Amino acid sequence: MDVKPPRWGDVAIAAALLVLGLIGVDVSADYGVGARDPDAVGYALLVLQVAPLAWRQRYPRVVVWAVLIPWVVSVGLGYPDTPASLAIYLALYGVAAYTARRQALIHGGAVLALMLAWTTVGLLFTDYVPWTSLVAVALAVVVPMMIGFVDYRRKERLTELELSQERREQAQRVVAADAVRAERARIARELHDVVAHEITVMTLQAEGARRLARDSDPRVTQALETIAASGRTGLTEMQRMIGVLRATEQDAVDTAERDRATAALEPMPALATLPALTQQVEDAGLPVDLSISGTAHVPAGVELSAYRVVQEALTNAMKHAGPGAHATVTVERLPHQVVVRVEDDGRGVISDAARQGGGHGLRGMGERVHALGGSLEYGPRPGGGFRVRAVLPSGDDQVGQRPAQTAKGGR
């Protein structure tokens, strides 16, 4: 057996009980208690009876017998009973508290039978053992073990609760990670749709300009050819990197591809499609007031992200705001940013729901906004309800620099 060192708390208990036992021996000697006066053998049995308690948590089954045997010998030789006999009860408690119930019952039953038998022998063959000792012995075995069983069950329950909590937290982490991966895959798909279109248009424009400028300065032709070649190379590299991202997020991509196949003929979501979105939400039972202000140009990718923020915020409002709620959507198109605010006056429990296993769309929403260099805030609002506020950096891009007919065709 690999003997482990005792615990300091158990060593202190054994030492304190040894001191009490030695004091009890002196008191018994003064009053002539017991059939035999203390001597070297008696003191040795006292030490052997108490010392094993230092390992009562490490080896509870061994300790209970290591304590019981010196007690049986001490009582059989007629040495006086001392507080050191409490070691048996502590050992019995340890068996019930630190071992499985079946093993504890086996050892506890054997100890009870042996102690009752030995007490019966003392009752029959000596004149200083009263019959009440049988009752005292039975209770002295049963009570510590019952206390040990209660503590054992309490520790089992605490362990079960800790494991259950850990499993729930792990499941929430997995779901949250899946939501983030799915959002990243969707961003990759939509990024490909937006940027690939813009690079393709740029390349075609450069090719067309190169043909028109064949008779002009060769340096202009060379520059346009370089722009076209760079556009084709950039498009190829972007498609390759998007493919790597999609392969890494294969599970999320499968779901995204199914969604894309369903909506293949639909236009890309943008701020212009927000009225249709709010109408769908109203048809589902949540009244929505929509306000879009400002005339600043917004890049397609920012429009798409703003639409997704509104979509996710309204989805959460429908899930958690409760009956009778009302939502307000405000979109401000400023020269350098787009500010999106979605508020509801419901019960305001979205944040709690998010912490308890839902609301993973909020994490994905934050992933999308942060990828654009923006900021996202969400939480209960004063007076009840819930608020989502996103700030997306915006500015003119190459679409805004094209001639009107090109921009119109690009959309």
Side-chain angles (χ1 to χ4, degrees):
M1 184 174 62
D2 183 15
V3 180
K4 298 179 181 179
R7 299 183 178 182
W8 289 109
D10 293 336
V11 172
I13 291 174
L17 201 57
L18 178 60
V19 172
L20 290 176
L22 294 174
I23 295 174
V25 168
D26 292 338
V27 173
S28 299
D30 293 339
Y31 288 92
V33 178
R36 185 169 181 175
D37 293 333
D39 54 15
V41 175
Y43 283 112
L45 291 173
L46 178 65
V47 173
L48 293 176
Q49 186 177 342
V50 174
L53 287 179
W55 286 271
R56 68 184 187 91
Q57 294 187 61
R58 300 284 194 187
Y59 313 102
R61 290 173 293 181
V62 175
V63 167
V64 72
W65 293 105
V67 169
L68 182 64
I69 292 174
W71 176 83
V72 171
V73 175
S74 177
V75 173
L77 295 178
Y79 287 107
D81 199 9
T82 66
S85 60
L86 293 175
I88 301 173
Y89 313 137
L90 290 174
L92 288 168
Y93 165 83
V95 168
Y98 306 127
T99 61
R101 174 162 297 187
R102 183 173 180 274
Q103 293 291 327
L105 288 174
I106 292 174
H107 287 272
V111 170
L112 177 60
L114 180 59
M115 292 183 68
L116 287 175
W118 198 238
T119 303
T120 302
V121 171
L123 179 62
L124 296 176
F125 296 99
T126 64
D127 56 357
Y128 58 85
V129 178
W131 66 269
T132 54
S133 297
L134 295 174
V135 179
V137 166
L139 292 176
V141 173
V142 171
V143 171
M145 293 200 66
M146 292 302 297
I147 297 174
F149 285 142
V150 171
D151 284 354
Y152 182 83
R153 178 55 186 162
R154 180 180 59 82
K155 288 185 291 185
E156 271 191 333
R157 181 59 179 163
L158 288 175
T159 302
E160 291 172 0
L161 292 175
E162 290 174 356
L163 291 176
S164 178
Q165 179 65 22
E166 180 61 28
R167 284 193 293 266
R168 284 196 297 269
E169 291 177 356
Q170 179 64 24
Q172 290 177 5
R173 287 193 292 267
V174 170
V175 172
D178 290 342
V180 171
R181 285 198 296 268
E183 185 65 21
R184 287 177 177 175
R186 187 166 65 172
I187 292 173
R189 185 184 73 248
E190 293 170 351
L191 177 67
H192 174 272
D193 294 339
V194 173
V195 179
H197 169 76
E198 301 299 336
I199 293 180
T200 300
V201 172
M202 177 190 71
T203 304
L204 292 176
Q205 293 284 355
E207 289 283 0
R210 184 174 63 84
R211 293 189 184 96
L212 294 176
R214 281 181 299 184
D215 299 332
S216 62
D217 190 340
R219 291 176 297 178
V220 175
T221 303
Q222 181 64 34
L224 292 172
E225 184 177 352
T226 302
I227 293 173
S230 298
R232 288 191 296 269
T233 301
L235 183 61
T236 301
E237 288 296 320
M238 187 198 67
Q239 291 174 338
R240 182 178 65 82
M241 294 304 295
I242 295 297
V244 171
L245 178 59
R246 288 180 172 180
T248 304
E249 310 293 348
Q250 189 60 45
D251 294 338
V253 169
D254 293 340
T255 302
E257 289 298 331
R258 289 195 297 268
D259 295 341
R260 185 179 182 182
T262 303
L265 301 179
E266 297 180 359
M268 180 176 294
L271 295 180
T273 59
L274 283 179
L277 173 64
T278 56
Q279 184 60 49
Q280 292 176 357
V281 174
E282 286 191 348
D283 293 341
L286 177 67
V288 181
D289 288 338
L290 174 64
S291 173
I292 302 178
S293 61
T295 58
H297 170 73
V298 180
V302 177
E303 283 202 45
L304 175 61
S305 295
Y307 177 91
R308 295 302 186 197
V309 168
V310 175
Q311 184 182 47
E312 183 61 36
L314 290 177
T315 300
N316 278 337
M318 287 191 293
K319 288 181 180 178
H320 306 295
H326 180 275
T328 302
V329 178
T330 304
V331 180
E332 298 180 74
R333 300 168 55 158
L334 303 176
H336 299 292
Q337 64 184 15
V338 176
V339 180
V340 178
R341 286 192 298 272
V342 181
E343 299 179 344
D344 68 77
D345 55 3
R347 295 173 301 181
V349 297
I350 296 180
S351 59
D352 294 336
R355 286 193 296 269
Q356 297 300 325
H360 299 299
L362 295 174
R363 296 188 179 93
M365 192 193 310
E367 187 80 17
R368 173 185 291 274
V369 172
H370 295 154
L372 294 175
S375 62
L376 177 70
E377 301 174 357
Y378 55 85
R381 68 171 193 167
F386 198 79
R387 171 188 298 163
V388 176
R389 183 178 185 272
V391 178
L392 302 169
S394 174
D396 287 342
D397 59 358
Q398 64 228 33
V399 178
Q401 303 296 334
R402 298 197 188 110
Q405 65 272 20
T406 304
K408 183 178 181 181
R411 298 293 290 178

